[in-house]
Amino acid sequence: MFERVYVEDAKGMVGETVTIAGWVTRARDLRKIMFIVLRDKSGDIQVTVKKDGSNDFADLDLGREDVLKVTGKVVESKVAKAGVEFIPDSIEVMNRAQQPLPFDLFGPVKAEIDTRLNYRFMDFRRPRTNAIFRVQNTLLTSFRRFLSDRGYLEFQPPCVIASASEGGADLFRLPYFEKEAFLAQSPQLYKQMCAISFEKVFCVTPIWRAEKFNTPTHLNEVRQMDIEQAFADDETVMKVLEEILAYMLTEVKEKCPEELKLLEREITVPELPLRRITYTEAVEMLQGAGEEMAWGDDFSKPQERKLTELVGDEAFFMKDWPSVQKAFYAMPYPENPDVVHAFDLLYSGVEISSGTMRVHIPELLKQQIRKKGLNPDNFTHYIESFSYGAPPHAGWSIGLERLTMTVTGMRNIRECCMFPRDRDRLVP
RNA sequence: GCCCUGGUAGUAUAGUCUGGCCUAUUAUGCUGGCCUGUCACGCCGGAGAUCCCGGGUUCGAAUCCCGGCCAGGGCGCCA
């Protein structure tokens, strides 16, 4: 068995003989004395090798990122910056790193994102990159914990689907034995099918869009965090959304102080309830500020930014969208069918989540599908699932990479996806 | 799909406008030597670049022109 202690723990074990293991951040060889900065997931420690002929590892020719296992004693030191250093009894080189490295991990020369993505396996060792994914992990685990604690069931939607008849975004096609199949663009239909039986469900799943995006905020493969809830309307799930957002931000703030410091981010947890403005109010605000737009138009990127400025809150809801802007499954208001129970959550000027109350009445659903110029016959399975006792339900979805982006302050979504897939990138 | 900017050693860059003085700058990394307390160690030396690809203009192209590929940014698209 591989036994070792993490270097941060070792620092508190002065006088004890222990084994540590990690990567060489830097080896300074002064001929008669050598200093090795050894790093593991917990931190780093200086290993001091006296080259006085008393050991057999003094002539080790160490390079950056070599992997070492070192057994020795932790001693107090007035000279070492950490106050302690590590005096080795034995050093085992577990693996060598080829030199020179593809880019400098800790030096002053910063590699560009494209270079770093080509060597992502090593980029993860960069403190900033590492911090981004620790924050992302905290967002993910707190998302799951919040919902599990409240009785939501985690379900697994399929990623390969048969039908492209939902319309809208382009899907990736793939051969499926003698049939044709598609990569899912959304777990939408499946989460509804789960919610009308399990009542409260959630999932974290990848989705694919075959659009030829060429922007810093779009990827062709992203991860979505979804919930769907029965006996609920849009306001019910908006409340869950604002609470979970506040919870996730609080968790990041509490559990990732080092990471946030490294990323030079300060997190303010918004006060609840978040402000809700209607789509109509938003349009009026923009028109009042001199923007040319009509009711029913979508917001351009600059308009979205301007609106955030006008509202003044870092996070807010925009609700009651025009039917033309939202999917057929969004529930129309009975008194005004041109407006639907749909909402977006804007955070730091980015749309990080959107959701709707769904149409659960088969006849109304057929009507909405026709209204969008689609054929209800292509949605037979979908419509049928609401024919045997489907309660009213609502749900939303958060884009994991986009949320990570806003929380960590990254400008390019590729920074927030471990292995991004875009128009040109398929490796690594 | 459109617009702007860029592509020069492993990395990041200067030089490009105004073609020749480029046998291509600097830093970092790598490498050889010196150094017993360094900690972005320091000092001295070395190697490393068909200047993204293809074509053109010219006596001469990293530099100008055309096409392609790729990257970064601004839009569009993204039920």
Side-chain angles (χ1 to χ4, degrees):
Chain A
M1 192 173 134
F2 200 109
E3 290 197 41
R4 44 84 81 121
V5 298
Y6 290 108
V7 300
E8 280 307 312
D9 298 332
K11 284 176 183 173
M13 301 166 79
V14 173
E16 292 184 51
T17 295
V18 294
T19 298
I20 57 176
W23 295 266
V24 174
T25 295
R26 198 164 278 121
R28 278 183 287 275
D29 193 339
L30 278 65
R31 189 175 176 87
K32 296 220 174 123
I33 189 167
M34 176 165 65
F35 302 98
I36 304 161
V37 179
L38 195 73
R39 182 188 83 250
D40 67 16
K41 81 187 274 286
S42 71
D44 55 35
I45 194 168
Q46 175 168 285
V47 176
T48 302
V49 180
K50 296 199 171 164
K51 300 171 131 188
D52 50 10
S54 66
N55 55 59
D56 60 355
F57 47 79
D59 291 328
L60 280 177
D61 187 17
L62 296 174
R64 292 171 192 229
E65 300 307 296
D66 284 345
V67 181
L68 307 184
K69 183 175 170 186
V70 186
T71 300
K73 196 177 274 187
V74 186
V75 299
E76 280 186 17
S77 165
K78 283 182 184 158
V79 218
K81 276 189 172 171
V84 293
E85 61 186 348
F86 201 86
I87 307 299
D89 295 323
S90 69
I91 297 179
E92 181 191 335
V93 179
M94 308 189 82
N95 205 350
R96 291 278 188 184
Q98 209 179 98
Q99 304 291 342
L101 300 172
F103 63 92
D104 301 350
L105 278 174
F106 303 97
V109 181
K110 306 281 177 251
E112 287 183 354
I113 185 167
D114 194 51
T115 307
R116 290 192 284 107
L117 287 176
N118 285 336
Y119 298 93
R120 197 54 146 164
F121 54 86
M122 200 179 86
D123 184 44
F124 291 146
R125 296 177 207 162
R126 273 176 80 240
R128 279 176 71 87
T129 304
N130 200 282
I132 290 166
F133 291 107
R134 283 176 188 247
V135 168
Q136 182 170 80
N137 185 250
T138 303
L139 290 169
L140 261 175
T141 52
S142 56
F143 175 82
R144 287 200 165 100
R145 191 182 313 115
F146 183 96
L147 294 168
S148 296
D149 287 353
R150 283 160 184 77
Y152 289 76
L153 177 136
E154 180 163 5
F155 72 100
Q156 293 77 37
C159 292
V160 176
I161 58 172
S163 168
S165 50
E166 287 175 55
D170 288 335
L171 278 73
F172 287 105
R173 286 161 194 273
L174 63 148
Y176 194 79
F177 303 113
E178 57 285 344
K179 293 179 190 155
E180 183 180 45
F182 302 88
L183 290 178
Q185 57 166 286
S186 158
Q188 183 62 32
L189 310 187
Y190 300 94
K191 64 180 185 166
Q192 287 186 258
M193 285 195 265
C194 290
I196 60 176
S197 292
F198 293 110
E199 290 201 31
K200 292 161 81 176
V201 296
F202 75 96
C203 74
V204 179
T205 186
I207 58 150
W208 295 267
R209 304 260 160 118
E211 305 285 336
K212 292 177 178 173
F213 300 127
N214 194 7
T215 87
T217 50
H218 290 81
L219 292 173
N220 293 289
E221 178 185 86
V222 294
R223 267 123 294 256
Q224 241 177 246
M225 305 189 286
D226 279 61
I227 76 155
E228 194 71 21
Q229 187 166 160
F231 302 102
D233 61 15
D234 46 339
E235 273 297 335
T236 316
V237 292
M238 282 163 77
K239 190 158 182 287
V240 179
L241 179 53
E242 61 187 352
E243 282 174 3
I244 204 168
L245 176 70
Y247 178 75
M248 288 191 287
L249 293 178
T250 306
E251 286 287 292
V252 169
K253 201 172 173 171
E254 281 174 10
K255 300 201 167 143
C256 305
E258 292 301 316
E259 287 82 357
L260 292 173
K261 198 175 158 194
L262 198 67
L263 296 166
E264 296 162 323
R265 292 296 287 175
E266 283 200 28
I267 297 219
T268 347
V269 180
E271 298 231 349
L272 302 189
L274 297 179
R275 197 163 153 195
R276 283 133 167 86
I277 64 164
T278 64
Y279 168 85
T280 306
E281 285 166 351
V283 171
E284 282 165 1
M285 283 169 90
L286 284 169
Q287 285 169 340
E291 287 287 326
E292 295 221 356
M293 71 178 303
W295 195 92
D297 289 352
D298 200 359
F299 304 97
S300 70
K301 269 190 188 176
Q303 284 169 339
E304 222 164 63
R305 280 194 291 266
K306 189 153 193 179
L307 184 65
T308 302
E309 213 174 283
L310 289 168
V311 173
D313 293 6
E314 193 178 26
F316 64 94
F317 283 111
M318 195 176 346
K319 56 180 278 186
D320 299 346
W321 282 73
S323 161
V324 290
Q325 288 293 339
K326 294 290 173 180
F328 64 80
Y329 52 72
M331 178 69 92
Y333 280 87
E335 67 279 10
N336 182 5
D338 289 338
V339 177
V340 292
H341 287 261
F343 59 89
D344 281 3
L345 173 61
L346 281 105
Y347 179 58
S348 291
V350 181
E351 179 199 318
I352 58 159
S353 175
S354 63
T356 57
M357 181 184 184
R358 326 294 189 189
V359 177
H360 63 288
I361 311 291
E363 271 316 305
L364 182 54
L365 194 52
K366 283 183 197 165
Q367 207 178 306
Q368 293 296 107
I369 289 170
R370 278 192 214 101
K371 215 170 143 183
K372 287 274 173 192
L374 299 167
N375 184 357
D377 294 346
N378 296 335
F379 297 87
T380 313
H381 283 293
Y382 182 58
I383 298 165
E384 188 191 22
S385 61
F386 305 117
S387 302
Y388 302 97
H393 56 286
W396 46 252
S397 133
I398 299 175
L400 174 63
E401 289 85 358
R402 285 226 180 145
L403 177 65
T404 311
M405 240 179 121
T406 54
V407 172
T408 58
M410 293 298 119
R411 293 292 188 85
N412 190 323
I413 198 166
R414 278 153 261 255
E415 296 278 11
C416 300
C417 179
M418 288 190 165
F419 303 101
R421 292 286 172 262
D422 62 29
R423 179 80 179 88
D424 290 290
R425 182 176 287 281
L426 260 174
V427 287

